[in-house]
Amino acid sequence: MVVYGITELGLSEQIGSSKEEAKQLIEGFKSSMPNYLMWEATTHKEVMEKGFIETVLGRKRRFGETIAEAKQEDIWKKSGWHWKIEKCKRQSCNAKIQGSSADQTKKAMVDLFYPTRLDGTKCLDRREWLREGYMSQLEKDDLHLVLQVHDELIFDVPETVDPAALKAITDTMANVIPNDVGVKFKSDIEVSPYWGGNFSKEQIRLMTEGLLDWKDIFKEEVNKKLSKFGFDYKVGIFADGDLDDENDSEENT
């Protein structure tokens, strides 16, 4: 949150502290990361001079109109400060971080989904793709990109998926951005038979060998959550028919 430019007021409201305590936390964080302070100052200077910032792959987020309007107001002319400009500065840092993360995710999606020609370029033409018999990284292992959630990608994969194919996905996601500043990116991967699950490598191995039924783990997790509300899980507990029957019995009573 601090990296994204949160204010003392915003942080104090989120963590339930005073503005003074939040200010100390922000200042402590920034003082412990001098390189971040240099980057923040450079970004603020960039947005004030250019009126926009660029993500790592060159996409622009524009602030020029807002900055120009704020500079015409008396508060800026008298003090050299304006809340609109401070907001632009905070958003410029956020846009560089979040926008570059979006660049990374979208570039990874392209690299994974589209096949590569022999000359190293990506084939975006489906007809050429089929005519030449190209295969994308995902097609080779029967993996299917289902959903993007911010900087996460959700795939549908066979139960017998080769772990090497999953590692290839993480390698792609971690290396799509030109790394000319020595930053090492990391990409994690989680495997589950159902949405929201998180299984260890050992559990995945046991399920693959038929020694563990994921439905038992699912039932245990659901029971744990429903127990907070006084429910016991059973198949069909939320089916429309069951609810209708329950409502009918209450009305008859």
Side-chain angles (χ1 to χ4, degrees):
M1 293 183 292
V2 177
V3 174
Y4 296 152
I6 194 169
T7 63
E8 294 93 340
L9 177 60
L11 182 59
S12 65
E13 290 178 346
Q14 289 198 25
I15 65 176
S17 70
S18 66
K19 286 181 62 177
E20 290 72 21
E21 290 173 325
K23 182 178 180 180
Q24 290 177 2
L25 287 173
I26 292 174
E27 291 178 348
F29 170 82
K30 290 184 176 181
S31 64
S32 68
M33 301 182 67
N35 289 335
Y36 167 77
L37 287 178
M38 292 173 57
W39 172 83
E40 182 186 57
T42 301
T43 302
H44 289 174
K45 181 180 179 182
E46 178 183 354
V47 75
M48 292 299 292
E49 291 179 351
K50 296 181 179 180
F52 64 87
I53 59 90
E54 294 183 80
T55 65
V56 69
L57 293 185
R59 291 189 300 119
K60 292 183 174 66
R61 170 76 188 274
R62 302 182 186 277
F63 300 91
E65 185 175 339
T66 301
I67 292 174
E69 289 177 353
K71 286 185 175 181
Q72 297 303 313
E73 298 184 18
D74 290 340
I75 184 174
W76 172 265
K77 293 178 180 179
K78 292 179 180 179
S79 64
W81 179 94
H82 198 294
W83 67 268
K84 290 182 180 179
I85 289 180
E86 295 305 307
K87 183 178 180 180
C88 287
K89 289 179 179 179
R90 291 195 301 273
Q91 290 182 340
S92 67
C93 291
N94 183 295
K96 273 208 169 187
I97 297 172
Q98 298 278 40
S100 294
S101 178
D103 286 350
Q104 187 174 20
T105 304
K106 291 180 181 296
K107 180 66 164 56
M109 292 169 70
V110 170
D111 286 359
L112 289 167
F113 185 80
Y114 292 99
T116 304
R117 299 187 182 95
L118 294 178
D119 62 2
T121 59
K122 283 292 175 182
C123 175
L124 306 182
D125 186 335
R126 181 64 175 172
R127 288 173 295 183
E128 177 190 352
W129 182 344
L130 296 175
R131 184 179 66 249
E132 299 297 330
Y134 297 142
M135 290 192 73
S136 70
Q137 182 175 334
L138 298 182
E139 284 182 308
K140 293 175 183 177
D141 297 294
D142 193 25
L143 313 180
H144 303 272
L145 179 57
V146 177
L147 186 66
Q148 174 198 0
V149 183
H150 298 294
D151 58 354
E152 298 181 7
L153 299 179
I154 313 298
F155 297 90
D156 181 32
V157 305
E159 290 186 359
T160 56
V161 62
D162 187 344
L166 302 181
K167 185 178 184 304
I169 291 177
T170 63
D171 289 344
T172 297
M173 294 189 71
N175 293 292
V176 291
I177 297 295
N179 189 357
D180 55 0
V181 292
V183 176
K184 184 177 181 180
F185 292 104
K186 180 183 178 183
S187 177
D188 297 320
I189 193 161
E190 296 178 354
V191 181
S192 171
Y194 55 86
W195 181 271
N198 183 12
F199 292 82
S200 66
K201 291 182 179 180
E202 178 62 15
Q203 288 175 317
I204 294 297
R205 183 187 67 79
L206 292 174
M207 283 189 287
T208 302
E209 296 176 1
L211 301 176
L212 179 65
D213 189 345
W214 65 265
K215 295 178 183 177
D216 293 334
I217 299 177
F218 175 78
K219 183 177 180 179
E220 181 181 341
E221 289 184 355
V222 174
N223 261 326
K224 188 183 299 183
K225 293 179 180 179
L226 289 181
S227 64
K228 299 177 182 179
F229 305 97
F231 288 104
D232 288 325
Y233 174 75
K234 64 178 180 179
V235 176
I237 187 174
F238 297 118
D240 291 340
D242 292 345
L243 293 176
D244 290 340
D245 292 342
E246 184 177 334
N247 291 334
D248 290 342
S249 63
E250 290 179 356
E251 291 176 2
N252 293 333
T253 303

